[in-house]
Amino acid sequence: MRSDFDKRAERLPLKVVDSVRTASANKVQGRFQAIASVFAEYDSARRQAAATKEYVLDNLADLLVELEASCLKNGVQVHWAEDAEQANRLILGIVSRAAPSALVVKGKSMATEEIGLNERLIQEGHQVVETDLGEFVVQLDDDVPSHIVTPIIHKDRTDVKRTFESHGLSPRSDEPEELAAVARARLREEFRRADVGISGVNFAVASSGRLVIVENEGNNRLSTTAPRVHIAVMGLEKVLPCDTDLALFLRLLAASSTGQRLTVYTHLVCGPRRPDEPDGPEEVHLVLLDNGRSKILNGALREILKCLRCGACLNVCPVYRQASGHTYRHTYSGPLGAVLAPGLDGVHSHGALAFASTLCGACQEVCPVDIPIPELLLKIRAEVGATPAAPWPVWAWFAQRSARWRMALKALPMVEPLARPWTEHREWPEPSGVDFRRWWDQRP
Amino acid sequence: MPGPRLAQAQVADHWALFRERLSEVGGEVADFSAVADCPGLFWIQEGLKGFWPGLDLAADPWEAMTGVCRADMAVAETGSVLFASGPDQPRLLSLLPPRHVVLLDPKQIEPNLEAALARLDRRNWAIVTGPSRTADIEGILVRGVHGPRELIVVPFPV
Ligand code: SF4
């Protein structure tokens, strides 16, 4: 039985499959080395992180109220958004107040990707520029990210050069160094002119109100420092109790997502520019996005809300590696997406993704907060109900009577063609030549 | 709750470990005298200008080639330097110029991230761990994509 997912994956150009496979294999290696050099007791680190996240989920409402109070004390304006529509309308209001047709620079943010913010802002007459190198290319291509950490994992240098050229940028070569320099020069002008900067949030600390944003390029920091207004958009589940929780999570995130000891830039935003400060935004807004999360919290998939968006489960997943991110047709792809997408949008629109898994368990093994992804996938499968027809009743009918069983064994080679879809990519086991009963009877 | 144990570094003092970790992430250590040799226009923190009276200062910070400021803290374990926004600590100084020179008092080095985080006050802090980088294109490391390409730390005991 071929699903839509399978068909889309099969249509992928070989070049894309190669790019994704090589890049994700390198990331798996990088993660492995980083974890070995950072943690002496990785298992206890991840157990502690999982326990902290468990605590957060158990006390989510209280922590969010505490976060709101801390933010207000810091001078950060807090907005609650129940769904994508409300979030977009809220953000649109802030942007339009900043300038009637504003220039908005954006740092990488999956939450804004999830609510389709860019399209909305553009529809209403604002200009939006993605400033993360990968996201910049995605935007020029009118594409969507294929990986939550590495948005253009499906592209190589010639693709990027071609994209730049078709948008009036003229790199002298397709060296990554040159391509990055071209993007840097182009985006500098935007940072300088921008009215509003929009970012995501990696962690928000309830007790201090600190909004923590991590990145390697510096575009996020530029986006949230140079313009007069900073809007941070965060999924409800990103809250942590105290500042002292940060060290562990910063380390786990850096090691798991990019194989680093620590990400290059960690911004700890604690409010707008003070009167005596030379720069920084005059307004800081925090948008707390629910958009299906509280529904997940009270359901069977609750544990997926522990996710740090590190991308490690994508890199290690044999299905993601072969299928790439676009095949999942959702902002969140890979094992994480196969759970989160149906969680957010309902099993009826994305439940089929739960079948795009071999249940090998590699995702849970690399997950820095030990999310039992295979178990969650099984729960979704059970709910969707459409388990692919299992051959067990047929097997049972033959196995119950010895005569039928003997007949079945004899007929086995004849049914081989039925198993073609399976054997195309796998070995059909060679029979040893003698069946067990005969061997038993004839044993010396 | 005590945190999980980290891999132990085989280095005696904080400065030596800081130096080693900084170079791992692509930063370098230089002498005070090296600052004046940097080419191009400068953006220097007000309080430090007196040390280099003759340098060409950029009228427009966006045009500066070298930014010079003091670090407010550092972390040995990760090779990070920290900056807290304030009247004499523009946030963009550590970001706009392609070369960033950081004066660090070795006494300001905390052994690890936990100790540094415990010392944060309510200003806006940035933890900077090496020069700006990306690996978005074919996983190949490129430095200086948006922030500085060079991060130079100068020991500067007060
Ligand atoms: S599910 Fe776990 S491994 Fe996957 S992105 Fe989230 S935190 Fe990372």
Side-chain angles (χ1 to χ4, degrees), chain B residues 21-142:
Chain B
R21 293 285 153 86
L22 176 72
S23 79
E24 270 176 31
V25 293
E28 46 189 304
V29 170
D31 279 346
F32 190 75
S33 60
V35 180
D37 299 335
C38 295
L41 300 173
F42 283 79
W43 182 7
I44 304 182
Q45 210 176 33
E46 276 309 315
L48 294 175
K49 277 188 181 155
F51 290 103
W52 299 279
L55 291 185
D56 287 338
L57 300 181
D60 175 2
W62 292 75
E63 300 296 321
M65 289 299 290
T66 304
V68 185
C69 70
R70 219 195 276 261
D72 295 292
M73 217 196 299
V75 181
E77 170 222 344
T78 54
S80 314
V81 278
L82 280 76
F83 307 97
S85 63
D88 193 20
Q89 188 69 288
R91 306 177 202 199
L92 290 173
L93 194 152
S94 56
L95 211 47
L96 291 181
R99 182 182 306 105
H100 183 201
V101 178
V102 181
L103 306 191
L104 172 66
D105 179 356
K107 285 198 294 294
Q108 292 275 38
I109 305 177
E110 293 293 335
N112 53 38
L113 208 49
E114 281 79 359
L117 288 167
R119 270 186 56 198
L120 298 186
D121 56 21
R122 306 196 86 76
R123 290 178 288 177
N124 281 276
W125 285 82
I127 307 176
V128 176
T129 311
S132 149
R133 56 174 264 178
T134 183
D136 271 352
I137 302 170
E138 295 184 10
I140 293 166
L141 183 76
V142 176

Side-chain angles (χ1 to χ4, degrees), chain A residues 189-297:
Chain A
E189 299 161 29
E190 315 288 10
F191 287 127
R192 197 171 180 161
R193 293 191 301 123
D195 304 291
V196 179
I198 299 183
S199 73
V201 174
N202 295 94
F203 309 102
V205 179
S207 64
S208 63
R210 255 181 247 285
L211 309 178
V212 185
I213 305 165
V214 304
E215 56 150 348
N216 278 320
E217 297 185 2
N219 64 302
N220 226 315
R221 196 155 163 238
L222 275 163
S223 305
T224 59
T225 305
R228 205 181 59 73
V229 178
H230 169 202
I231 307 172
V233 185
M234 133 182 181
L236 292 185
E237 77 281 19
K238 299 280 177 102
V239 66
L240 285 177
C242 351
D243 283 340
T244 46
D245 295 315
L246 283 174
L248 173 62
F249 282 96
L250 289 172
R251 286 200 187 93
L252 282 172
L253 180 57
S256 309
S257 64
T258 43
Q260 289 167 283
R261 204 179 279 279
L262 197 60
T263 315
V264 175
Y265 297 106
T266 305
H267 321 300
L268 302 137
V269 176
C270 219
R273 167 211 299 214
R274 308 211 179 142
D276 59 353
E277 286 178 357
D279 56 12
E282 285 159 30
E283 290 173 29
V284 178
H285 298 265
L286 173 65
V287 177
L288 290 164
L289 176 70
D290 184 330
N291 202 29
R293 287 165 174 77
S294 45
K295 191 183 64 202
I296 298 181
L297 182 69

Side-chain angles (χ1 to χ4, degrees), chain A residues 164-432:
Chain A
F164 279 8
E165 282 165 349
S166 64
H167 286 83
L169 297 167
S170 22
R172 277 164 303 178
S173 72
D174 63 3
E175 286 303 315
E177 183 92 26
E178 166 69 7
L179 296 168
V182 166
R184 174 187 169 109
R186 169 79 172 67
L187 290 167
R188 273 292 161 116
E189 299 161 29
E190 315 288 10
F191 287 127
R192 197 171 180 161
R193 293 191 301 123
D195 304 291
V196 179
I198 299 183
S199 73
V201 174
N202 295 94
F203 309 102
V205 179
S207 64
S208 63
R210 255 181 247 285
L211 309 178
V212 185
I213 305 165
V214 304
E215 56 150 348
N216 278 320
E217 297 185 2
N219 64 302
N220 226 315
R221 196 155 163 238
L222 275 163
S223 305
T224 59
T225 305
R228 205 181 59 73
V229 178
H230 169 202
I231 307 172
V233 185
M234 133 182 181
L236 292 185
E237 77 281 19
K238 299 280 177 102
V239 66
L240 285 177
C242 351
D243 283 340
T244 46
D245 295 315
L246 283 174
L248 173 62
F249 282 96
L250 289 172
R251 286 200 187 93
L252 282 172
L253 180 57
S256 309
S257 64
T258 43
Q260 289 167 283
R261 204 179 279 279
L262 197 60
T263 315
V264 175
Y265 297 106
T266 305
H267 321 300
L268 302 137
V269 176
C270 219
R273 167 211 299 214
R274 308 211 179 142
D276 59 353
E277 286 178 357
D279 56 12
E282 285 159 30
E283 290 173 29
V284 178
H285 298 265
L286 173 65
V287 177
L288 290 164
L289 176 70
D290 184 330
N291 202 29
R293 287 165 174 77
S294 45
K295 191 183 64 202
I296 298 181
L297 182 69
N298 299 314
L301 307 179
R302 157 194 170 95
E303 283 181 274
I304 201 63
L305 292 180
K306 295 179 183 169
C307 172
L308 311 180
R309 308 283 188 270
C310 73
C313 58
L314 279 66
N315 303 332
V316 81
C317 175
V319 177
Y320 174 86
R321 282 186 178 194
Q322 194 67 33
S324 179
H326 290 158
T327 308
Y328 291 77
R329 291 280 163 91
H330 195 275
T331 309
Y332 302 106
S333 57
L336 150 72
V339 179
L340 191 57
L344 291 172
D345 299 350
V347 291
H348 297 295
S349 50
H350 291 284
L353 290 181
F355 295 96
S357 166
T358 63
L359 300 178
C360 70
C363 46
Q364 178 172 5
E365 212 174 291
V366 298
C367 178
V369 283
D370 199 17
I371 300 175
I373 297 178
E375 217 175 277
L376 300 179
L377 290 171
L378 284 175
K379 287 185 185 170
I380 299 171
R381 287 187 186 185
E383 199 174 328
V384 173
T387 334
W392 305 127
V394 181
W395 177 84
W397 189 82
F398 283 109
Q400 275 162 5
R401 294 271 185 284
S402 67
R404 288 183 204 157
W405 184 246
R406 254 171 284 157
M407 186 176 85
L409 286 182
K410 287 216 187 74
L412 206 53
M414 284 187 278
V415 298
E416 204 251 84
L418 288 178
R420 273 284 143 72
W422 171 266
T423 55
E424 235 169 83
H425 305 284
R426 297 170 186 83
E427 297 281 313
W428 183 254
E430 271 302 319
S432 68

